Protein backbone atom coordinates (compact mmCIF):
# COMPACT_ATOMS: atom_id res chain seq x y z
CA UNK A 1 0.00 0.00 0.00
CA UNK A 2 2.03 2.93 -1.31
CA UNK A 3 1.28 6.65 -0.87
CA UNK A 4 -0.82 7.09 -4.04
CA UNK A 5 -2.98 4.11 -3.07
CA UNK A 6 -3.38 5.48 0.45
CA UNK A 7 -4.55 8.79 -1.01
CA UNK A 8 -7.07 6.93 -3.15
CA UNK A 9 -8.36 5.02 -0.11
CA UNK A 10 -8.53 8.29 1.84
CA UNK A 11 -10.70 9.74 -0.93
CA UNK A 12 -13.16 6.85 -0.58
CA UNK A 13 -13.14 7.14 3.23
CA UNK A 14 -13.92 10.87 3.01
CA UNK A 15 -17.08 10.32 0.93
CA UNK A 16 -19.44 9.36 3.81
CA UNK A 17 -18.18 12.29 5.91
CA UNK A 18 -18.76 14.60 2.96
CA UNK A 19 -22.29 13.26 2.41
CA UNK A 20 -23.23 13.53 6.09
CA UNK A 21 -21.98 17.13 6.31
CA UNK A 22 -23.75 18.15 3.11
CA UNK A 23 -27.10 16.52 3.87
CA UNK A 24 -27.24 17.13 7.62
CA UNK A 25 -30.20 19.28 8.61
CA UNK A 26 -31.42 19.18 5.01
CA UNK A 27 -28.36 21.08 3.84
CA UNK A 28 -29.52 24.15 5.75
CA UNK A 29 -26.58 24.45 8.16
CA UNK A 30 -23.95 26.79 6.62
CA UNK A 31 -21.08 25.54 8.79
CA UNK A 32 -21.74 21.95 7.74
CA UNK A 33 -21.95 22.94 4.08
CA UNK A 34 -18.57 24.66 4.37
CA UNK A 35 -17.22 21.51 6.05
CA UNK A 36 -18.64 19.47 3.17
CA UNK A 37 -16.97 21.81 0.68
CA UNK A 38 -13.64 21.49 2.51
CA UNK A 39 -13.90 17.70 2.54
CA UNK A 40 -14.81 17.65 -1.16
CA UNK A 41 -11.84 19.91 -2.00
CA UNK A 42 -9.42 17.75 0.01
CA UNK A 43 -10.79 14.60 -1.63
CA UNK A 44 -10.50 16.21 -5.07
CA UNK A 45 -6.91 17.22 -4.38
CA UNK A 46 -6.04 13.64 -3.44
CA UNK A 47 -7.21 12.70 -6.94
CA UNK A 48 -4.71 15.08 -8.49
CA UNK A 49 -1.91 14.14 -6.11
CA UNK A 50 -2.15 10.36 -6.23
CA UNK A 51 -1.74 10.24 -10.00
CA UNK A 52 1.14 12.68 -10.06
CA UNK A 53 2.99 10.84 -7.29
CA UNK A 54 2.34 7.42 -8.83
CA UNK A 55 3.68 8.48 -12.23
CA UNK A 56 6.62 10.53 -10.92
CA UNK A 57 7.93 7.83 -8.58
CA UNK A 58 6.86 4.83 -10.67
CA UNK A 59 4.34 3.69 -8.05
CA UNK A 60 1.59 2.72 -10.49
CA UNK A 61 -0.19 -0.42 -9.29
CA UNK A 62 -3.12 -2.53 -10.47
CA UNK A 63 -4.96 -1.49 -7.30
CA UNK A 64 -4.43 2.16 -8.21
CA UNK A 65 -5.46 1.63 -11.84
CA UNK A 66 -8.71 0.08 -10.61
CA UNK A 67 -9.49 2.15 -7.51
CA UNK A 68 -8.43 5.63 -8.61
CA UNK A 69 -11.07 6.06 -11.34
CA UNK A 70 -13.64 4.28 -9.17
CA UNK A 71 -12.93 6.61 -6.22
CA UNK A 72 -13.27 9.62 -8.54
CA UNK A 73 -16.63 8.43 -9.82
CA UNK A 74 -17.87 7.65 -6.30
CA UNK A 75 -16.91 11.11 -5.07
CA UNK A 76 -18.43 13.05 -7.95
CA UNK A 77 -21.56 10.90 -8.22
CA UNK A 78 -22.13 11.16 -4.46
CA UNK A 79 -21.91 14.94 -4.67
CA UNK A 80 -24.20 15.17 -7.67
CA UNK A 81 -26.83 12.89 -6.13
CA UNK A 82 -26.77 14.93 -2.91
CA UNK A 83 -27.23 18.10 -4.93
CA UNK A 84 -30.33 16.58 -6.55
CA UNK A 85 -31.72 15.87 -3.08
CA UNK A 86 -30.98 19.45 -2.06
CA UNK A 87 -32.80 20.60 -5.21
CA UNK A 88 -29.76 22.45 -6.52
CA UNK A 89 -29.22 20.32 -9.59
CA UNK A 90 -31.76 18.77 -11.95
CA UNK A 91 -31.72 14.99 -12.18
CA UNK A 92 -31.46 15.04 -16.00
CA UNK A 93 -28.05 16.74 -15.78
CA UNK A 94 -26.81 14.13 -13.34
CA UNK A 95 -28.14 11.34 -15.57
CA UNK A 96 -26.10 12.71 -18.49
CA UNK A 97 -22.95 12.98 -16.36
CA UNK A 98 -23.32 9.55 -14.75
CA UNK A 99 -24.19 7.97 -18.12
CA UNK A 100 -20.97 9.35 -19.58
CA UNK A 101 -19.01 7.77 -16.74
CA UNK A 102 -20.64 4.38 -17.32
CA UNK A 103 -19.99 4.55 -21.06
CA UNK A 104 -16.33 5.48 -20.59
CA UNK A 105 -15.88 2.76 -17.96
CA UNK A 106 -17.38 0.21 -20.33
CA UNK A 107 -15.15 1.42 -23.14
CA UNK A 108 -12.08 1.03 -20.93
CA UNK A 109 -13.07 -2.51 -19.94
CA UNK A 110 -13.38 -3.55 -23.57
CA UNK A 111 -10.10 -1.80 -24.41
CA UNK A 112 -8.25 -3.57 -21.58
CA UNK A 113 -9.45 -6.93 -22.89
CA UNK A 114 -7.84 -5.99 -26.20
CA UNK A 115 -4.62 -4.92 -24.48
CA UNK A 116 -5.28 -1.24 -25.15
CA UNK A 117 -4.79 1.41 -22.50
CA UNK A 118 -6.76 4.59 -23.09
CA UNK A 119 -5.33 7.60 -21.34
CA UNK A 120 -7.48 10.47 -20.10
CA UNK A 121 -7.87 13.25 -22.64
CA UNK A 122 -7.58 16.96 -22.09
CA UNK A 123 -11.33 17.24 -22.62
CA UNK A 124 -11.87 14.76 -19.80
CA UNK A 125 -9.50 16.67 -17.55
CA UNK A 126 -11.26 19.96 -18.30
CA UNK A 127 -14.60 18.25 -17.64
CA UNK A 128 -13.40 17.01 -14.27
CA UNK A 129 -12.03 20.43 -13.32
CA UNK A 130 -15.28 22.20 -14.15
CA UNK A 131 -17.34 19.51 -12.41
CA UNK A 132 -15.28 19.95 -9.25
CA UNK A 133 -15.54 23.75 -9.38
CA UNK A 134 -19.29 23.62 -10.04
CA UNK A 135 -19.85 21.14 -7.20
CA UNK A 136 -17.91 23.27 -4.72
CA UNK A 137 -19.81 26.40 -5.79
CA UNK A 138 -23.14 24.61 -5.42
CA UNK A 139 -22.15 23.27 -2.01
CA UNK A 140 -21.20 26.68 -0.60
CA UNK A 141 -24.28 28.15 -2.31
CA UNK A 142 -23.29 31.82 -2.23
CA UNK A 143 -26.05 33.88 -3.82
CA UNK A 144 -23.60 36.47 -5.19
CA UNK A 145 -21.85 33.68 -7.13
CA UNK A 146 -25.01 32.11 -8.55
CA UNK A 147 -24.29 33.29 -12.11
CA UNK A 148 -20.74 31.87 -11.98
CA UNK A 149 -22.09 28.66 -10.44
CA UNK A 150 -24.61 28.33 -13.26
CA UNK A 151 -22.00 28.99 -15.93
CA UNK A 152 -19.59 26.44 -14.43
CA UNK A 153 -22.38 23.88 -14.19
CA UNK A 154 -23.33 24.32 -17.85
CA UNK A 155 -19.69 24.29 -18.96
CA UNK A 156 -19.19 21.06 -16.99
CA UNK A 157 -22.23 19.52 -18.68
CA UNK A 158 -21.10 20.60 -22.15
CA UNK A 159 -17.57 19.29 -21.50
CA UNK A 160 -19.10 16.03 -20.30
CA UNK A 161 -20.76 15.55 -23.69
CA UNK A 162 -17.78 16.88 -25.69
CA UNK A 163 -15.34 14.63 -23.84
CA UNK A 164 -17.60 11.61 -24.45
CA UNK A 165 -17.85 12.34 -28.18
CA UNK A 166 -14.08 12.94 -28.37
CA UNK A 167 -13.38 9.73 -26.47
CA UNK A 168 -15.61 7.63 -28.72
CA UNK A 169 -14.34 9.28 -31.92
CA UNK A 170 -10.70 8.64 -31.01
CA UNK A 171 -11.28 5.10 -29.78
CA UNK A 172 -14.18 3.81 -31.89
CA UNK A 173 -12.09 0.87 -33.09
CA UNK A 174 -12.22 -0.55 -29.58
CA UNK A 175 -15.89 -1.42 -30.04
CA UNK A 176 -16.08 -1.74 -33.84
CA UNK A 177 -13.05 -3.98 -34.33
CA UNK A 178 -13.99 -7.43 -35.51
CA UNK A 179 -17.57 -6.47 -36.39
CA UNK A 180 -19.05 -7.25 -39.79
Amino acid sequence: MNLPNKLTVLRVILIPFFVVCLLAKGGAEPALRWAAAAIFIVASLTDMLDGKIARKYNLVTNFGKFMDPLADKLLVCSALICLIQLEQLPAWMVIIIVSREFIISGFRLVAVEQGIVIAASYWGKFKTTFQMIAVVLMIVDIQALSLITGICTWVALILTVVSLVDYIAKNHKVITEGEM
Side-chain angles (χ1 to χ4, degrees):
M1 186 58 69
N2 60 35
L3 179 58
N5 290 343
K6 288 177 182 175
L7 290 170
T8 298
V9 170
L10 174 63
R11 187 160 61 257
V12 173
I13 291 169
L14 288 173
I15 294 169
F17 295 98
F18 161 72
V19 170
V20 167
C21 286
L22 184 56
L23 296 181
K25 298 185 180 185
E29 179 60 45
L32 290 173
R33 286 185 77 111
W34 281 97
I39 293 168
F40 186 84
I41 290 167
V42 168
S44 297
L45 290 174
T46 67
D47 176 32
M48 182 182 68
L49 280 175
D50 64 8
K52 286 183 187 255
I53 293 168
R55 286 184 296 277
K56 183 175 181 177
Y57 295 103
N58 197 26
L59 297 172
V60 176
T61 64
N62 286 335
F63 176 84
K65 289 178 191 176
F66 171 72
M67 279 305 296
D68 181 60
L70 181 60
D72 300 343
K73 287 167 184 46
L74 289 170
L75 176 64
V76 172
C77 289
S78 297
L80 297 175
I81 291 166
C82 289
L83 290 166
I84 291 172
Q85 182 170 333
L86 296 172
E87 299 180 356
Q88 289 185 258
L89 196 59
W92 67 267
M93 279 187 168
V94 175
I95 291 167
I96 290 171
I97 293 168
V98 171
S99 295
R100 183 252 186 223
E101 299 307 329
F102 275 109
I103 292 167
I104 297 301
S105 294
F107 238 87
R108 283 200 166 120
L109 284 175
V110 173
V112 165
E113 288 177 0
Q114 298 174 12
I116 301 168
V117 176
I118 302 173
S121 72
Y122 286 108
W123 288 112
K125 290 178 182 182
F126 293 143
K127 177 247 346 157
T128 300
T129 300
F130 273 92
Q131 281 180 354
M132 303 286 185
I133 292 168
V135 166
V136 170
L137 288 170
M138 282 185 265
I139 291 168
V140 297
D141 196 24
I142 298 171
Q143 192 60 37
L145 298 177
S146 63
L147 178 62
I148 293 169
T149 302
I151 291 169
C152 286
T153 302
W154 279 100
V155 169
L157 183 67
I158 291 165
L159 289 173
T160 295
V161 174
V162 168
S163 67
L164 174 63
V165 170
D166 176 65
Y167 197 89
I168 291 172
K170 287 181 180 172
N171 301 290
H172 65 91
K173 290 182 182 178
V174 168
I175 56 173
T176 59
E177 195 171 282
E179 292 185 3
M180 296 183 152

